[in-house]
Amino acid sequence: MLTNTPLDVSETELPELEQALADLGSPRFHARQIFQWIYRRGVTDFGEMTDLGIELRSRLAQQMRIATPEVARHERSVDGTTKFLLRLADGKFIEAVGIPDSPGDTLCLSTQVGCAMRCAFCLTGKMGIDRNLTAGEIVGQVRVLTRELGLLERRFNIVLMGMGEPLHNYEATMKALRILADEYGLSVSPRRVTLSTVGVLPALERLATEPFMPNLAISLHSTTEEQRDLLVPINRKYGITELLDACRRFPIKRRERITFEYVMLQGVNDSPEDARRLARLLNGIRSKVNLLPLNEAAGIPFTRPSDDAVNRFAKVLADRGVTVSVRKSRGRDIRAACGQLITESSKTEAPGRRLAMMM
Ligand code: SAH
């Protein structure tokens, strides 16, 4: 099919690209070569894809494009974490973070510009939602970070824990996971991907039926409906009881577990009684708990508990047989840690000022 808009190969799964080549009258296997150039070698200029014929290369350059987020700025933490501010084709900004030695390399990706969930302790939530990312923009973060961090052809993990709620952008997120997994591309198995969600229930139920399933992390953060209603507002729609029932039914693989994230807010949800309630709630779910001591920020009306309080809480859980870990905050000095990702979306502002505000 001939159209005026060039096909954006960053958005295509391999079979779609094969079909597009067939439509051009070219053999389908060239699609695999193009995938290898893009994902394994970081090449996005068709002219440089030297195992394709010259004529095909110039036709591709006319009829297709490969949109790639631009690095507007990057910043490195003392702990080696690197935060990237990326500019998308329409001028919007998102952030993605590379975290080394965690234990391997981990890439933390955004799934939306902003977020609609408005969790009370999260800066991204303060932005509200601007728009969903496309599958190509989600995968594009991986292409840019692997190139910039020298991870081409290396193994790494992915966490969908940047800006946005992945289950509020279901189609694009799942398509991105399929593109990432392609054996001619990045070959990232879903086992190396963790999807973190507040628990958008219909989408969670749908995820349970996918052939292709990432690891699951649930942002629980609270042990009573009343409190979670306030901290994680979507709880008013899909409460703890329903959410945990869905988790009980979730088809987790043998030897795997659902991670429950629990942000710790001093004097709010960090008492031993909270810990006991948490252990009771998770009874019967193959689970582990990841405690996230709050990363404080201006405009966030909560305090991070002391290390002692965190350790006491962890011990109550451990004594009840719950596997528990405390998340190390990485990149706090560059505001790259959980809940600290925020970009100004206002288009009217001069880019310089926008960046200055962000960083
Ligand atoms: N929307 C998804 C993924 C985004 S954030 C989700 O909510 O799960 C990844 C984790 O960081 C979530 O558990 C989120 O609640 C947590 N988080 C948000 N703000 C935080 C903060 N200020 N300090 C510590 N963790 C925070």
Side-chain angles (χ1 to χ4, degrees):
M1 194 178 65
L2 285 178
T3 59
N4 293 328
T5 4
L7 176 72
D8 183 356
V9 180
S10 79
E11 299 287 350
T12 66
E13 294 176 51
L14 189 64
E16 293 174 75
L17 183 57
E18 286 171 343
Q19 186 56 49
L21 282 158
D23 292 346
L24 286 179
S26 287
R28 291 172 170 261
F29 69 84
H30 289 319
R32 297 177 189 171
Q33 291 167 294
I34 296 171
F35 255 49
Q36 287 169 336
W37 281 109
I38 297 174
Y39 295 103
R40 298 201 189 159
R41 281 172 266 191
V43 170
T44 51
D45 179 346
F46 290 109
E48 290 175 26
M49 300 185 179
T50 47
D51 55 3
L52 304 175
I54 295 246
E55 205 182 316
L56 178 59
R57 280 187 253 165
S58 74
R59 284 187 73 196
L60 292 175
Q62 281 161 19
Q63 309 212 2
M64 297 185 187
R65 66 193 179 103
I66 305 165
T68 306
E70 264 174 57
V71 178
R73 178 168 175 164
H74 61 97
E75 210 177 354
R76 203 180 178 83
S77 158
V78 287
D79 67 24
T81 298
T82 311
K83 176 165 83 169
F84 293 86
L85 176 68
L86 303 176
R87 188 200 327 267
L88 305 172
D90 65 354
K92 311 258 182 208
F93 290 93
I94 53 166
E95 294 185 320
V97 182
I99 312 159
D101 313 315
S102 50
D105 288 288
T106 301
L107 306 183
C108 176
L109 310 184
S110 294
T111 53
Q112 297 179 312
V113 183
C115 185
M117 299 297 121
R118 297 198 180 274
C119 297
F121 44 81
C122 179
L123 265 190
T124 308
K126 299 266 174 251
M127 289 173 66
I129 177 87
D130 188 329
R131 68 168 173 86
N132 280 333
L133 296 186
T134 64
E137 288 168 336
I138 297 171
V139 177
Q141 297 167 66
V142 180
R143 290 200 279 116
V144 171
L145 268 61
T146 49
R147 182 190 77 205
E148 296 288 315
L149 298 170
L151 297 177
L152 286 170
E153 305 270 11
R154 294 252 304 270
R155 266 172 174 269
F156 50 84
N157 299 313
I158 288 176
V159 294
L160 300 177
M161 296 190 187
M163 301 167 73
E165 165 51 51
L167 293 189
H168 191 213
N169 183 15
Y170 190 88
E171 300 293 344
T173 299
M174 296 313 292
K175 182 173 182 183
L177 294 187
R178 291 191 300 269
I179 296 175
L180 286 167
D182 197 287
E183 59 177 317
Y184 295 100
L186 289 157
S187 253
V188 179
S189 133
R191 275 182 291 113
R192 282 194 279 131
V193 179
T194 300
L195 183 155
S196 177
T197 177
V198 290
V200 183
L201 219 61
L204 188 61
E205 309 263 2
R206 191 166 162 205
L207 185 67
T209 67
E210 292 280 349
F212 219 58
M213 202 161 327
N215 299 304
L216 188 60
I218 301 283
S219 288
L220 189 62
H221 305 323
S222 188
T223 54
T224 67
E225 303 284 3
E226 302 69 41
Q227 187 183 62
R228 194 167 189 267
D229 281 351
L230 298 174
L231 295 179
V232 183
I234 200 172
N235 198 69
R236 295 170 204 162
K237 202 159 176 193
Y238 310 116
I240 296 181
T241 312
E242 284 174 282
L243 174 57
L244 294 183
D245 278 349
C247 290
R248 281 196 183 84
R249 291 193 303 270
F250 204 82
I252 32 182
K253 287 173 224 104
R254 259 152 52 89
R255 281 198 302 261
E256 288 185 359
R257 285 182 276 184
I258 299 179
T259 300
F260 287 88
E261 295 161 287
Y262 192 93
V263 70
M264 295 197 67
L265 312 171
Q266 184 178 63
V268 175
N269 65 355
D270 64 343
S271 72
E273 181 50 36
D274 288 305
R276 285 191 286 272
R277 251 197 319 269
L278 180 56
R280 273 200 302 276
L281 279 177
L282 298 182
N283 202 357
I285 304 180
R286 282 225 305 285
S287 60
K288 53 187 173 185
V289 170
N290 192 207
L291 299 176
L292 284 57
L294 177 74
N295 294 310
E296 295 178 345
I300 300 296
F302 298 102
T303 312
R304 180 186 180 95
S306 68
D307 289 352
D308 277 354
V310 174
N311 292 335
R312 259 198 313 277
F313 194 97
K315 184 161 187 308
V316 173
L317 292 173
D319 287 347
R320 280 162 179 69
V322 177
T323 305
V324 55
S325 58
V326 180
R327 187 176 299 174
K328 265 207 285 181
S329 299
R330 302 287 300 265
R332 269 207 288 167
D333 56 330
I334 54 165
R335 293 219 266 134
C338 301
Q340 297 190 308
L341 303 184
I342 188 163
T343 58
E344 269 296 323
S345 53
S346 146
K347 274 192 148 174
T348 50
E349 223 143 15
R353 177 167 144 64
R354 217 183 288 151
L355 293 187
M357 284 175 45
M358 256 214 46
M359 292 296 171

